[in-house]
Amino acid sequence: MAKKSQKDRIIAHVKEFYGADPEYLWEKTPNSGVFRNSINKKWFGAILDIPKSKLGYNDETIVYVLDIKCDPLMVGELQKQKGFFPAYHMNKDKWITVILDDTVKDDTIFFLLEQSFDLIKPKVKKKKQ
């Protein structure tokens, strides 16, 4: 049995833990989709297929990446690690891009997805007593 791609493992994880399937919104990039919170519809991730050149490589091979919303304090540190890049097509202060080629371990990505989901989930308002 063939091992699932990291992209497929991430999609399966998001579906299982957050109940979100990727929404494919763009006709020009039909393999790129976003993950939304089902309550407030905010994005907490986006899987995109892009040329490696968009990540700074001298290579036009198409790769999958995951954009994840991130604590701005973590963005700079993550970018120092292999497999992480400034956010592709997103706010570079609050999002990070991860290449989905098994450079970054699934557990690390799952942890970052959890943080991303927490950053965009609806805030619970306390009742006045």
Side-chain angles (χ1 to χ4, degrees):
M1 180 188 227
K3 181 180 175 186
K4 278 186 173 180
S5 70
Q6 190 167 37
K7 173 193 79 121
D8 290 339
R9 295 190 310 267
I10 298 303
I11 290 171
H13 175 83
V14 170
K15 182 175 180 91
E16 180 180 351
F17 285 87
Y18 306 103
D21 285 311
E23 292 180 45
Y24 299 99
L25 304 174
W26 306 288
E27 198 172 299
K28 289 184 179 181
T29 55
N31 296 320
S32 297
V34 299
F35 298 114
R36 293 183 199 249
N37 179 297
S38 63
I39 297 169
N40 62 12
K41 304 299 182 203
K42 289 187 177 182
W43 297 8
F44 63 95
I47 284 193
L48 310 161
D49 62 340
I50 62 172
K52 272 182 127 175
S53 62
K54 300 290 185 184
L55 301 174
Y57 294 95
N58 189 18
D59 186 345
E60 292 301 316
T61 304
I62 300 296
V63 294
Y64 278 96
V65 297
L66 177 68
D67 281 352
I68 307 170
K69 188 158 186 157
C70 192
D71 182 322
L73 298 174
M74 291 179 62
V75 170
E77 287 304 310
L78 287 171
Q79 287 179 23
K80 295 175 186 175
Q81 298 178 33
K82 192 172 181 179
F84 290 94
F85 301 87
Y88 174 74
H89 236 295
M90 300 294 266
N91 178 313
K92 292 177 182 11
D93 294 330
K94 297 179 181 177
W95 288 78
I96 191 88
T97 292
V98 184
I99 191 166
L100 298 181
D101 66 355
D102 291 310
T103 299
V104 178
K105 293 182 181 198
D106 287 3
D107 287 343
T108 301
I109 296 172
F110 297 161
F111 171 77
L112 292 169
L113 278 165
E114 183 178 346
Q115 288 193 324
S116 180
F117 190 81
D118 285 345
L119 286 169
I120 61 90
K121 70 182 180 186
K123 308 297 182 233
V124 177
K125 294 181 182 179
K126 294 183 180 180
K127 291 182 180 179
K128 292 182 182 180
Q129 293 186 7

